Structures are given as structure tokens and as C-alpha cells.
Amino acid sequence: MRATDIIAKIMTLPAVQRAKVLRFVNEVIRRIEDLVDNRTAEKALKEPGENNPWQVARKKLGWA
């Protein structure tokens, strides 16, 4: 089954059930994003070198 088929089926659910499913999906996505972010942070903390404050990093990236 394709993702578009699953989304189409979810959209046919009654509003209350659809909201529950979408809340569940959002929670799963948030957990996965948190895992990825934590792994990335752990990897970065293991790298040698000094840590830069966020304001310094923003300036180096041209975001300031």
C-alpha cells in the first residue's frame, strides 16, 4: 500500500478518529526526530575541538 493510499483512508475516517490517528502519527514522528537529533548531538559532542556559543556559530554561518 502506498503512503497516498494510507493518507486517503485516514482522511475518510470520522473527525474524532481521524484526529486520534493524526495525533498518534505526529507523536511517532516527534519521537523519531528526537532520536535522530539526540544521536546527532552525541556524535557532535564526541568530536574534538572547542564548543562555540550559539551566537558565535550563527555569525560564522551568516545567520546573525
Side-chain angles (χ1 to χ4, degrees):
M1 184 176 274
R2 297 179 319 205
T4 53
D5 296 333
I6 294 169
I7 293 168
K9 291 221 184 261
I10 291 170
M11 298 313 289
T12 64
L13 293 171
V16 173
Q17 289 177 336
R18 183 173 57 244
K20 287 180 183 180
V21 169
L22 293 176
R23 248 184 270 122
F24 171 77
V25 169
N26 284 332
E27 180 63 24
V28 170
I29 290 170
R30 188 189 63 76
R31 286 182 193 158
I32 292 169
E33 289 173 342
D34 286 349
L35 286 172
V36 170
D37 290 346
N38 289 339
R39 287 182 186 148
T40 302
E42 288 169 3
K43 181 180 174 185
L45 289 171
K46 289 179 183 176
E47 291 180 1
E50 63 183 64
N51 291 321
N52 293 317
W54 179 237
Q55 291 303 328
V56 173
R58 287 175 54 89
K59 286 180 184 175
K60 286 182 179 181
L61 292 169
W63 295 353

